[in-house]
Amino acid sequence: MNSTGTESSTGTGAEKDKSAAGLTKATPAPTPALTTAAAPDIQSLDTFVIRKRLSLTAGEYVVSVARPDGSEGEPVAYAREKRLSLRGQVTIYTDASRKSVLAAFKGRDHEVGYMYDVRDASGQSFGSFYEDAGASFLRRTWQVRQPGTMKLTGRERSRVVAFVRFVWEFVPYLEYVPFIWPYRFKYTESGKPLMTVTKKLGLHTRYVLEILAPDIDRRLAIAHTLALDALEVD
């Protein structure tokens, strides 16, 4: 109290400092959550368009969702082929920055010739494919394996196109040129069609990948489709 007997409203210096600190100390505002566009869940998608970009340094591909009219929709993956690789080596990325790996494949010696293992970003194998040399004499044939799930046999549908391709590969110097004629591969298991890959005719190299079975790993299907082009002149 002061000399008049009334309670002082000013208080001591220490009390004023404590009071001021309490008034000026602001409660931290909550940090706003970062919002980024969610990447499409490619496992839920059934049809893709794969377009090859012209590049002097490497083979580059853009994988997009196919629109109902067959045109290219939203890009979902990008791929880059390592040139001068005798066994074929392609890395697939989640976006154009090429910072995040979706999958990759590379050939290795095997009793069937070259076996191509498809691996995830951690290096874990989740599928493979190889060309069936014996069956490919008449129609180009591939075996695609997804461990514990399915074994697909992919074969060219047209015998005529297969024959033209066969002749093409034996013409001098043409064996080093990609086969430009459109073609279609049909993939089956026990006779049941589960996947198709169609090369389109046009100025740009384009493929349409259609998957008919929900259990097929889309990363494996995309990797194999890329191999049909990347390994065409290997």
Side-chain angles (χ1 to χ4, degrees):
M1 288 188 182
N2 57 20
S3 59
T4 61
T6 60
E7 187 176 358
S8 174
S9 60
T10 56
T12 65
E15 290 174 338
K16 287 195 296 181
D17 290 342
K18 180 184 287 188
S19 176
L23 291 174
T24 58
K25 185 177 181 181
T27 303
T31 303
L34 297 177
T35 56
T36 57
D41 177 13
I42 63 172
Q43 192 60 34
S44 66
L45 303 173
D46 297 326
T47 310
F48 302 87
V49 177
I50 299 173
R51 175 170 48 87
K52 186 175 185 179
R53 287 176 170 174
L54 296 178
S55 173
L56 296 177
T57 58
E60 297 182 350
Y61 303 85
V62 180
V63 183
S64 304
V65 180
R67 294 193 178 105
D69 62 358
S71 62
E72 298 175 45
E74 181 183 2
V76 294
Y78 295 78
R80 190 176 183 89
E81 172 194 3
K82 185 176 181 180
R83 289 287 177 85
L84 304 178
S85 176
L86 296 179
R87 301 182 183 183
Q89 183 174 347
V90 174
T91 303
I92 307 169
Y93 302 92
T94 58
D95 56 46
S97 69
R98 300 201 300 269
K99 293 181 179 179
S100 179
V101 174
L102 180 68
F105 69 83
K106 182 180 180 180
R108 61 179 171 87
D109 290 325
H110 194 266
E111 60 184 8
V112 298
Y114 280 151
M115 172 73 75
Y116 296 89
D117 297 304
V118 186
R119 302 180 184 277
D120 60 20
S122 67
Q124 183 68 34
S125 175
F126 60 86
S128 62
F129 53 83
Y130 65 90
E131 185 169 9
D132 190 331
S136 290
F137 183 76
L138 295 177
R139 281 192 292 172
R140 201 171 180 189
T141 302
W142 288 83
Q143 303 293 336
V144 181
R145 301 290 183 259
Q146 186 172 314
T149 307
M150 58 190 64
K151 299 178 180 179
L152 301 177
T153 298
R155 183 176 289 111
E156 279 184 286
R157 294 194 61 182
S158 173
R159 294 180 183 273
V160 174
V161 174
F163 176 75
V164 173
R165 181 202 292 275
F166 177 79
V167 174
W168 179 284
E169 293 176 352
F170 281 90
V171 175
Y173 303 109
L174 279 184
E175 70 268 25
Y176 300 107
V177 179
F179 186 64
I180 61 175
W181 197 259
Y183 55 78
R184 188 182 189 196
F185 277 82
K186 180 180 179 181
Y187 296 78
T188 63
E189 184 181 48
S190 302
K192 182 180 179 181
L194 299 180
M195 188 174 85
T196 63
V197 175
T198 304
K199 183 178 182 179
K200 296 294 185 178
L201 180 63
L203 296 177
H204 303 285
T205 302
R206 281 198 324 137
Y207 298 84
V208 175
L209 166 63
E210 185 177 8
I211 302 172
L212 309 175
D215 292 338
I216 295 178
D217 193 315
R218 273 45 176 173
R219 299 170 301 171
L220 175 60
I222 290 172
H224 175 65
T225 304
L226 293 171
L228 292 179
D229 184 87
L231 306 178
E232 199 167 75
V233 295
D234 287 358

